Amino acid sequence: MKNYYAQRILILFGIVSILELFFLIFPSENFPIRYFTKPLLLPLLIFYDYLSQQDRKPFLSTFRIALAFAWLGDVLLMLPNAFVPGLLAFLVMQVLYSKIFWQDCVTSRKGFVFRHLWILLLLVGYHLMIMLPVWPYLGAMQIPVLVYSIVISIMVLAAINRIGEVPNASTVALGAVLFMVSDSLIAITKFGSDFAYSGFCVMLTYIVAQYLIVKGRNR
């Protein structure tokens, strides 16, 4: 029965996601539906995660608390002059994700990343490619953005490190990478130059990322 309701919640999540993306391409000034669709995304994933679990663990797990902070970040980023609080909310989410992912890996110091150190170099190169062009325009945000980039890198590495150690680790790792891509697009559009359908690209990668992380940890 729990899986029945979980699947219904997942279908609803898909519908809300499609509406969110649709109105990013075709915005409605008279009825800003995104004020309803975007704040619904993470609560639906939270309930999906809970209802699809086989055991009867408490509702307030560390993972769902992390998702709650992601929801808070979603809401704050919709408000004017709330970029930094939104950033902090997502920072907490990433710290909690990192903690969970490292704990998932029993032999973390012998995990996938430690056996393939080129992944670390690739990640550093990626961040340099994103950060260097926008660095002169960050101003007072240079240190916060740098700290945020370091934390999200740790989260991505922790997710990748689980590969071969726990089931569906590749799904979670892909979700973590897509989350990083989504945040990179935000940095480019906010501090660099905007591009066509940037909001759509940000939310598409973000929605898929959070879904893959939730789905991949669901076992």
Side-chain angles (χ1 to χ4, degrees):
M1 185 62 70
K2 290 180 74 174
N3 284 335
Y4 171 83
Y5 288 115
Q7 292 306 313
R8 295 302 178 271
I9 291 290
L10 190 58
I11 291 171
L12 184 57
F13 171 77
I15 294 171
V16 173
S17 298
I18 291 171
L19 288 173
E20 165 72 9
L21 295 171
F22 177 84
F23 281 98
L24 277 168
I25 300 177
F26 306 104
S28 174
E29 296 181 0
N30 296 326
F31 185 65
I33 194 171
R34 292 196 63 235
Y35 282 97
F36 297 92
T37 54
K38 188 179 180 182
L40 274 176
L41 293 170
L42 267 296
L44 288 172
L45 278 182
I46 289 171
F47 280 104
Y48 167 72
D49 178 68
Y50 176 70
L51 292 173
S52 57
Q53 295 295 323
Q54 298 298 323
D55 50 24
R56 298 274 181 171
K57 290 183 179 180
F59 181 77
L60 287 178
S61 65
T62 304
F63 182 61
R64 292 182 203 113
I65 291 173
L67 290 172
F69 273 100
W71 170 80
L72 180 61
D74 283 346
V75 173
L76 289 171
L77 290 182
M78 296 180 72
L79 304 176
N81 304 317
F83 180 77
V84 173
L87 201 70
L88 289 173
F90 277 112
L91 188 69
V92 174
M93 181 217 76
Q94 290 164 20
V95 169
L96 293 175
Y97 272 4
S98 299
K99 178 178 179 291
I100 293 166
F101 296 159
W102 283 114
Q103 289 178 341
D104 281 348
C105 189
V106 179
T107 56
S108 58
R109 294 187 179 181
K110 297 180 181 178
F112 193 84
V113 172
F114 287 87
R115 299 195 308 270
H116 304 83
L117 292 178
W118 58 267
I119 294 174
L120 180 59
L121 297 176
L122 189 65
L123 195 61
V124 170
Y126 174 83
H127 277 292
L128 288 174
M129 181 181 69
I130 298 297
M131 294 285 289
L132 288 179
V134 301
W135 186 258
Y137 307 103
L138 293 176
M141 291 295 294
Q142 284 183 340
I143 300 303
V145 170
L146 179 61
V147 171
Y148 188 90
S149 298
I150 293 172
V151 174
I152 198 172
S153 297
I154 293 172
M155 186 270 289
V156 170
L157 290 172
I160 296 174
N161 201 50
R162 301 164 72 250
I163 295 176
E165 299 286 330
V166 294
N168 302 322
S170 297
T171 302
V172 174
L174 178 58
V177 170
L178 284 176
F179 188 96
M180 180 178 64
V181 171
S182 179
D183 274 9
S184 299
L185 293 175
I186 292 176
I188 292 170
T189 56
K190 185 171 181 62
F191 302 110
S193 57
D194 202 356
F195 58 91
Y197 303 114
S198 59
F200 175 86
C201 295
V202 167
M203 284 307 299
L204 176 62
T205 49
Y206 174 73
I207 290 170
V208 175
Q210 293 286 29
Y211 167 74
L212 289 176
I213 290 172
V214 172
K215 186 70 175 178
R217 288 203 77 255
N218 197 308
R219 57 183 188 272

